[in-house]
Amino acid sequence: MDDVDFRFMDFKEIIENLIVKGNSPSIHEAIDRLFMDIANINRESMAEMQDAQVEEMAVNLWNWAVTRRVGLVISEEQKAKLQHVACKLVCMCEDSAVSEEAIQKQILMNMKTGKGWLDVGNAVTADEFFQVAIAGLEQLYVRLMQRSSTEAHVAMQKIAVERDLFKVLSYQAESAVAQGDFQRASACVLRCKDVLMRVPKKTRYLHILCYNFGVETYKQNKYEESSFWLSQSYDIGKMEKNSIGPEMLAKVLRLLATAYLDWDDREYYDKALSAINLANKEHSHPAGLFLKMKILLKGEIANEELLEAVMETLHLDASLDVCLNIAKLLMDHDRESVGFYFLKIICEHFKSSENIGKALLLHIDMLLERKEELLAKEKIEEIIVGHQTGRQLTTELVGCLHDILWKKAARSFEVQNYPDALQWYCYSLRLYASDQMDLDLAKLQRNMAACYLHLKQLDKAKVAVAEAEQRDPTNIFTQFYVFKIAVLEGNSDRALQAITSLEHLLTAEEPEENNLLTDRGSTVMLLSLAAQFALEHGQQIVAGKALEYLAQYSEDPQQVLTALKCLFRLVLPKVSQMPESENKKKEMDRLLTCLNIALLKLAQFFDGKASTSDSRTNEAHWFRKIAWNLAVQCDKDPVTMREFFMLSYKLSQFCPSDQVILIAQKTCLLMAAAVDLEQGRKASTTFQQTRLLNRALEQIHKCRDIWNLLKETGDFSNDPCETLLLLYEFEVKAKMNDPFLDSFLESVWELPHLESKTFETIASLAMEMPACYPSIALKALKRALLLHKRKESIDVLKYSKCMHNLINLLVPERVLSAELCPLEEVWGYFEDALHLISHTEGYPETEILWLMVKSWNIGIFMYGSSKYVSAEKWCSLALRFLDHLGSLRRSYEIQMNVLYSQLVEALDKNKGSLFNKE
């Protein structure tokens, strides 16, 4: 169906379209529009319509509203709005007040409209329609009286009017109560009450209405109003006992008594007592009997009178539960003599009842509350013996008795009266069958074990724990007591096993409650207690394991850090003395894990911000130093050493960045980068190597940032950090074939403070696989050689090594070609070396030999290439190096001179072509 736009219609069109197309999505908008417009509509504004047409439209709208509400198309409030509109339209018609039938219709519509508004909570609007209905009833009554001919006819018509009047008055009473207008509400009800004689069928309705008013006002603590309504409800109820039973009347009276009691138990004591007596007379009910005792206890009644009233409950065949509640009430109001006597009577009166145990348990509980322990124990013995000899308690009552006994034992335990606690637990134990498998029995055994341990009765505690373990081995408290027994016996292996079991259980299930533990909120407290207990008894290994698990599972950062500090103090001295072995490796890994936990917990404290707490900073310093010391001890295990150094660095980030911390951070990062570079050199796959080199580069960048900060704090000219960072970064970039390697080196070549060793290292790294940058290596070695020569006193050994590397790079062993090798440049380096050898002592003989052989081989290569002049030149250079050999000269002199003679002879023979080829 197409949507209907009601916004541009007049009042009449809206009604017509609403009735015709009632399923339109705009139905709610149309209803609201009609409701707002009706306030501005009068008969003149609808002059084009006849009264009959207006009335027909109103009736159609009314009927539509009722039927649509049944189909749940509109809400109760929308229905009330439509009835409001329809009723107003009918009242506008001039002919509406002509006939009695029209007046009756008007009365009915006003009544129903007012009730509709009342049901949706708009009592003020409802009153308007109720007033119109009352006026209509008065008008109708006058009309009827004027035309009635006989007395019987008058009476009949009067009853019809008064029936509707009763209904309207009752609605007005509801409206007044809703608005808190007690005076108006009570006046309406009293008028209804007057009418009841002529409409007796409404008695039950008015009775219930007054009762509901009483309940509502009682909930609002309006006790005076509530007592009025309840009194009226009772008085009206008595008028029609055929339809209103005594149970209902008693219910009204019980609430009336309660209202009096809550209103003012002293001033209205007599009224409350009278009401409850009347209620119990109407209908005996447990609540009434109990309430009567409650009222009596509010007064200053003597014990003798109270006892008579109590005994009356037995004569009225009150149930066992009611009697027990009364007995407890007496105890709570310090009428102990009457209460205990009544309990004794109850036990005798209900001795054949299967629930007599309830009375016995209450008796015991009351005795214990009043410190009558000897009498309570007698009763307990009586019950236990009866339970074991055929007078068994129900399962529920056995559970109740256990609760009583355990609570008493727990109180004794708390005040350290362990023998007394054991006695109560033993009573509980006797209630269990010998073959019974019950988790509560295991708990009982654990509690008894705790008492035995405090009493230093280890053997008995061991038996109790064994029983608990048999019944409930997967309980964390069972394992805790197994642990304690093992520690006390000095059985470290068993204690460790129990601690491990405890750890497994902590991760597998939620812990149960235990009355003997002070801290019930945290299961890991067991581990803390276990560690403390082990330390107190000299079991350091066991304590260490407990501390480790405590640090792992505790959610309290401070508790974790304290546990870890204690653990390190226990373990570090032993680890430091251990020889390198698999066991030491395991211990180091364990400590590494613990330090990672410390890092995590400190991070929770700081949460990315600097701490202002000295204690927090001190914690970070402590763990930083521990990580550093452990790193130093791992010189045989570089991977582990790196992890400790990185942890020390991360922990130091929680400390103030002073010079000491910056130096430590710089060293940690340098060491970590060095290890990653070394591991990268050994990596078996390209992927592993790339990962390690990237990680090293990240640490190099961090270290450079720290180094720049550190230089601002003092003179670090002798610190090799900058050189190491340069070398480390060069190695990473070279091995990763960085396309920006040359631009990186441009700044390096210009650095004034670099030593020859640095350039030699660069050269070595440039040619170390997978890197291969001979041009960079040559440039670096030339700079290194230049630096060697500039020194006032040349270090011959270092110079010889540098020269060796440079010549070897220029003239590789396997590549010898005049085109590839710049021999003129090479000749210059040989001359430099020979000059130094000639004027300086200490040049290594092996290096002189190497230079001799190298130059000789070049000469031979030239000879083979028919370059005879060059060949003679290089070979004679080799003989010049031969002259500077020491002990090795004799080994080569004869052979080389012979070869050289042969070479010269060959040169002479080829003299004719010599110049043609060179």
Side-chain angles (χ1 to χ4, degrees):
M1 182 175 289
D2 296 336
D3 192 8
V4 180
D5 194 339
F6 292 101
R7 291 174 296 171
F8 305 107
M9 297 181 185
D10 62 19
F11 191 80
K12 178 185 174 185
E13 287 179 313
I14 293 175
I15 294 177
E16 290 173 350
N17 279 278
L18 188 64
I19 295 170
V20 174
K21 300 181 178 180
N23 290 329
S24 169
S26 304
I27 185 172
H28 307 304
E29 179 186 338
I31 293 172
D32 290 338
R33 171 83 179 277
L34 289 174
F35 180 67
M36 287 187 294
D37 288 352
I38 192 64
N40 301 317
I41 298 292
N42 54 37
R43 191 65 187 90
E44 286 74 19
S45 62
M46 302 180 72
E48 76 281 0
M49 296 180 67
Q50 299 293 324
D51 282 349
Q53 291 176 305
V54 174
E55 186 172 348
E56 181 183 4
M57 182 173 66
V59 171
N60 288 337
L61 183 63
W62 180 281
N63 292 337
W64 184 88
V66 173
T67 56
R68 289 300 175 183
R69 178 56 197 150
V70 172
L72 300 178
V73 176
I74 60 175
S75 66
E76 284 289 352
E77 184 176 5
Q78 288 169 332
K79 175 188 169 186
K81 287 180 178 181
L82 289 175
Q83 289 180 325
H84 181 113
V85 172
C87 190
K88 290 288 186 182
L89 287 173
V90 168
C91 291
M92 289 179 193
C93 297
E94 295 175 358
D95 296 334
S96 62
V98 174
S99 67
E100 293 177 12
E101 187 177 324
I103 296 172
Q104 287 175 340
K105 181 190 292 184
Q106 201 178 101
I107 292 168
L108 179 63
M109 292 179 77
N110 277 285
M111 282 172 54
K112 287 187 176 293
T113 302
K115 187 66 167 70
W117 281 122
L118 188 60
D119 291 342
V120 296
N122 193 339
V124 175
T125 304
D127 281 342
E128 295 177 17
F129 290 92
F130 294 145
Q131 288 295 338
V132 175
I134 290 288
L137 284 168
E138 291 173 351
Q139 183 183 2
L140 180 61
Y141 183 78
V142 171
R143 289 279 189 93
L144 291 172
M145 292 300 292
Q146 287 175 351
R147 72 172 179 79
S148 296
S149 55
T150 64
E151 187 175 339
H153 188 260
V154 171
M156 185 176 67
Q157 295 296 333
K158 190 175 180 181
I159 289 173
V161 173
E162 288 188 331
R163 189 183 298 112
D164 287 338
L165 178 62
F166 177 91
K167 190 177 292 186
V168 177
L169 288 170
S170 67
Y171 292 163
Q172 285 185 313
E174 282 189 67
S175 176
V177 169
Q179 296 176 71
D181 190 344
F182 173 69
Q183 295 300 326
R184 186 157 62 90
S186 58
C188 290
V189 167
L190 291 174
R191 285 188 66 187
C192 286
K193 194 174 177 183
D194 292 339
V195 176
L196 274 181
M197 295 299 294
R198 291 176 290 282
V199 284
K201 290 183 179 180
K202 294 294 183 180
T203 303
R204 179 174 177 79
Y205 171 81
L206 190 60
H207 160 73
I208 296 297
L209 185 68
C210 290
Y211 175 74
N212 290 338
F213 289 166
V215 172
E216 187 175 341
T217 49
Y218 177 81
K219 288 178 180 177
Q220 297 170 359
N221 299 328
K222 297 178 179 179
Y223 302 120
E224 183 176 3
E225 294 180 20
S226 178
S227 61
F228 170 81
W229 294 122
L230 293 168
S231 297
Q232 290 298 320
S233 178
Y234 176 66
D235 290 343
I236 294 166
K238 287 193 299 181
M239 295 165 61
E240 184 57 53
K241 288 200 171 183
N242 291 330
S243 60
I244 302 170
E247 295 88 350
M248 184 63 196
L249 293 175
K251 183 178 180 181
V252 173
L253 288 167
R254 286 196 298 273
L255 184 55
L256 177 59
T258 305
Y260 281 135
L261 203 61
D262 292 343
W263 186 5
D264 190 329
D265 57 12
R266 290 189 178 182
E267 184 175 349
Y268 296 102
Y269 172 81
D270 292 334
K271 287 188 175 183
L273 187 59
S274 175
I276 196 61
N277 283 332
L278 196 54
N280 291 337
K281 185 177 179 182
E282 286 282 357
H283 175 71
S284 180
H285 188 275
L289 299 174
F290 185 80
L291 182 56
K292 180 178 179 179
M293 296 309 305
K294 190 175 178 181
I295 294 169
L296 288 172
L297 288 168
K298 292 286 185 180
E300 297 179 357
I301 187 172
N303 283 345
E304 293 77 10
E305 295 179 62
L306 189 60
L307 184 58
E308 287 181 19
V310 166
M311 295 304 293
E312 184 184 349
T313 60
L314 290 176
H315 300 148
L316 293 172
D317 292 329
S319 67
L320 175 60
D321 287 338
V322 172
C323 292
L324 293 179
N325 285 335
I326 291 173
K328 193 170 186 312
L329 187 68
L330 291 167
M331 298 292 188
D332 292 342
H333 285 78
D334 298 325
R335 298 296 185 103
E336 296 177 6
S337 59
V338 179
F340 279 121
Y341 181 78
F342 187 47
L343 270 174
K344 182 179 178 182
I345 299 298
I346 291 172
C347 292
E348 180 63 28
H349 185 78
F350 292 98
K351 62 183 177 182
S352 58
S353 170
E354 62 178 9
N355 291 319
I356 184 60
K358 287 185 179 179
L360 297 173
L361 292 188
L362 180 62
H363 199 167
I364 291 169
D365 205 18
M366 294 298 104
L367 287 170
L368 290 175
E369 281 187 12
R370 284 148 185 81
K371 312 297 183 185
E372 298 286 348
E373 292 191 2
L374 289 177
L375 291 174
K377 288 177 180 179
E378 289 178 10
K379 287 288 180 185
I380 292 168
E381 285 285 352
E382 180 184 331
I383 290 176
I384 292 174
V385 171
H387 186 66
Q388 294 171 341
T389 57
R391 288 180 293 152
Q392 290 191 340
L393 296 173
T394 64
T395 303
E396 181 185 358
L397 291 177
V398 169
C400 292
L401 182 53
H402 280 308
D403 286 343
I404 291 170
L405 296 170
W406 284 31
K407 286 177 182 176
K408 181 59 185 168
R411 284 194 289 269
S412 296
F413 191 95
E414 287 172 2
V415 297
Q416 300 180 7
N417 189 350
Y418 305 117
D420 189 57
L422 269 173
Q423 189 174 10
W424 296 110
Y425 282 133
C426 285
Y427 282 135
S428 181
L429 185 62
R430 288 167 61 188
L431 287 168
Y432 284 100
S434 58
D435 59 345
Q436 191 169 349
M437 296 298 289
D438 190 298
L439 294 182
D440 282 339
L441 179 53
K443 186 176 180 180
L444 174 61
Q445 296 285 6
R446 291 195 297 270
N447 293 347
M448 293 180 70
C451 295
Y452 286 131
L453 287 174
H454 280 289
L455 293 171
K456 311 297 184 186
Q457 297 177 12
L458 183 59
D459 291 339
K460 289 183 178 180
K462 190 174 180 181
V463 171
V465 170
E467 291 283 341
E469 191 173 20
Q470 181 183 355
R471 289 173 170 82
D472 192 10
T474 60
N475 182 279
I476 56 174
F477 297 99
T478 299
Q479 290 303 321
F480 178 67
Y481 284 112
V482 169
F483 162 81
K484 293 186 80 171
I485 297 293
V487 169
L488 290 171
E489 290 183 331
N491 189 342
S492 299
D493 292 339
R494 185 73 176 98
L496 283 171
Q497 182 183 346
I499 281 291
T500 303
S501 298
L502 186 60
E503 185 266 341
H504 290 326
L505 292 170
L506 278 172
T507 58
E509 63 179 29
E510 288 294 322
E512 65 175 73
E513 290 290 327
N514 189 301
N515 291 333
L516 300 182
L517 288 177
T518 306
D519 186 357
R520 300 178 180 87
S522 175
T523 327
V524 294
M525 187 56 68
L526 285 175
L527 290 169
S528 176
L529 294 173
Q532 182 180 346
F533 192 78
L535 285 172
E536 289 172 354
H537 292 83
Q539 296 279 352
Q540 292 190 352
I541 295 175
V542 177
K545 181 58 71 175
L547 288 167
E548 185 179 350
Y549 287 144
L550 176 61
Q552 186 176 349
Y553 294 106
S554 175
E555 295 179 359
D556 179 358
Q558 187 56 57
Q559 186 181 45
V560 171
L561 294 176
T562 302
L564 288 173
K565 289 175 77 172
C566 187
L567 174 62
F568 279 113
R569 290 188 178 105
L570 285 176
V571 176
L572 277 178
K574 296 178 182 178
V575 173
S576 301
Q577 297 172 6
M578 291 175 70
E580 295 298 326
S581 62
E582 188 62 29
N583 286 338
K584 183 171 183 177
K585 179 70 170 66
K586 288 180 180 178
E587 285 299 304
M588 284 295 186
D589 289 342
R590 177 188 177 196
L591 295 176
L592 191 63
T593 301
C594 291
L595 279 172
N596 273 305
I597 294 174
L599 176 65
L600 180 64
K601 297 304 176 182
L602 281 168
Q604 291 178 11
F605 273 135
F606 288 87
D607 193 22
K609 302 173 184 175
S611 174
T612 56
S613 168
D614 289 340
S615 63
R616 298 281 181 264
T617 303
N618 291 338
E619 299 276 19
H621 271 301
W622 194 91
F623 284 106
R624 174 187 70 81
K625 292 174 182 177
I626 292 294
W628 177 284
N629 292 335
L630 287 169
V632 172
Q633 293 180 36
C634 292
D635 56 323
K636 300 289 192 302
D637 184 359
V639 175
T640 304
M641 177 176 68
R642 178 205 175 276
E643 296 303 317
F644 279 122
F645 271 128
M646 283 306 297
L647 273 171
S648 183
Y649 163 72
K650 291 174 183 177
L651 288 161
S652 70
Q653 291 179 301
F654 300 125
C655 305
S657 295
D658 56 20
Q659 190 181 77
V660 172
I661 291 299
L662 290 173
I663 291 173
Q665 289 178 340
K666 175 208 70 171
T667 307
C668 288
L669 290 169
L670 277 176
M671 295 299 294
V675 171
D676 281 338
L677 288 171
E678 181 61 30
Q679 294 302 116
R681 297 181 195 117
K682 299 175 183 177
S684 58
T685 66
T686 304
F687 174 78
Q688 289 179 340
Q689 185 180 61
T690 302
R691 180 179 63 83
L692 289 164
L693 292 176
N694 275 323
R695 193 165 70 175
L697 188 62
E698 182 182 342
Q699 287 145 197
I700 290 165
H701 290 159
K702 288 180 181 178
C703 189
R704 182 168 283 113
D705 292 338
I706 291 169
W707 172 245
N708 290 333
L709 291 173
L710 188 59
K711 286 189 293 185
E712 296 175 2
T713 66
D715 180 13
F716 291 90
S717 56
N718 295 324
D719 194 312
C721 176
E722 191 156 358
T723 301
L724 289 173
L725 289 174
L726 185 153
L727 293 173
Y728 288 171
E729 186 167 2
F730 172 75
E731 180 176 358
V732 171
K733 290 179 178 294
K735 286 193 165 97
M736 293 181 70
N737 197 23
D738 192 322
F740 302 103
L741 182 60
D742 287 332
S743 61
F744 168 75
L745 284 172
E746 284 178 8
S747 59
V748 174
W749 302 133
E750 303 302 324
L751 293 175
H753 62 278
L754 295 183
E755 298 180 353
S756 56
K757 176 66 176 175
T758 304
F759 286 115
E760 290 179 64
T761 305
I762 289 174
S764 174
L765 293 172
M767 298 303 294
E768 188 175 273
M769 292 296 291
C772 184
Y773 295 94
S775 61
I776 293 175
L778 279 172
K779 191 171 184 178
L781 286 172
K782 288 176 184 179
R783 287 177 176 270
L785 194 64
L786 184 62
L787 289 174
H788 280 303
K789 291 168 69 175
R790 284 178 178 174
K791 291 181 179 178
E792 293 183 6
S793 176
I794 298 177
D795 188 324
V796 177
L797 290 176
K798 292 180 179 179
Y799 176 89
S800 66
K801 183 178 179 182
C802 181
M803 181 63 78
H804 181 120
N805 291 334
L806 177 58
I807 293 173
N808 200 42
L809 191 62
L810 288 167
V811 190
E813 295 293 343
R814 283 181 256 175
V815 181
L816 198 59
S817 168
E819 288 76 18
L820 296 175
C821 305
L823 291 180
E824 290 299 324
E825 182 182 353
V826 175
W827 177 266
Y829 290 124
F830 273 93
E831 285 285 357
D832 285 346
L834 187 60
H835 181 270
L836 183 66
I837 292 168
S838 302
H839 295 84
T840 309
E841 294 182 356
Y843 205 98
E845 190 175 12
T846 54
E847 288 299 320
I848 298 173
L849 177 63
W850 184 84
L851 289 168
M852 180 192 77
V853 172
K854 194 76 171 176
S855 58
W856 180 267
N857 287 341
I858 293 172
I860 297 302
F861 172 76
M862 291 297 174
Y863 180 81
S865 301
S866 300
K867 297 181 179 181
Y868 303 116
V869 174
S870 294
E872 192 276 336
K873 177 182 174 182
W874 281 101
C875 288
S876 61
L877 178 63
L879 291 176
R880 291 164 68 188
F881 281 113
L882 177 65
D883 292 340
H884 293 284
L885 286 177
S887 60
L888 296 173
R889 180 174 180 176
R890 186 174 297 177
S891 302
Y892 291 94
E893 188 173 21
I894 297 173
Q895 183 181 3
M896 285 192 67
N897 282 325
V898 171
L899 289 172
Y900 184 71
S901 298
Q902 293 174 353
L903 176 64
V904 171
E905 187 178 335
L907 287 172
D908 289 339
K909 289 179 182 181
N910 293 289
K911 197 170 184 182
S913 59
L914 181 64
F915 295 103
N916 297 327
K917 292 195 176 182
E918 292 199 21

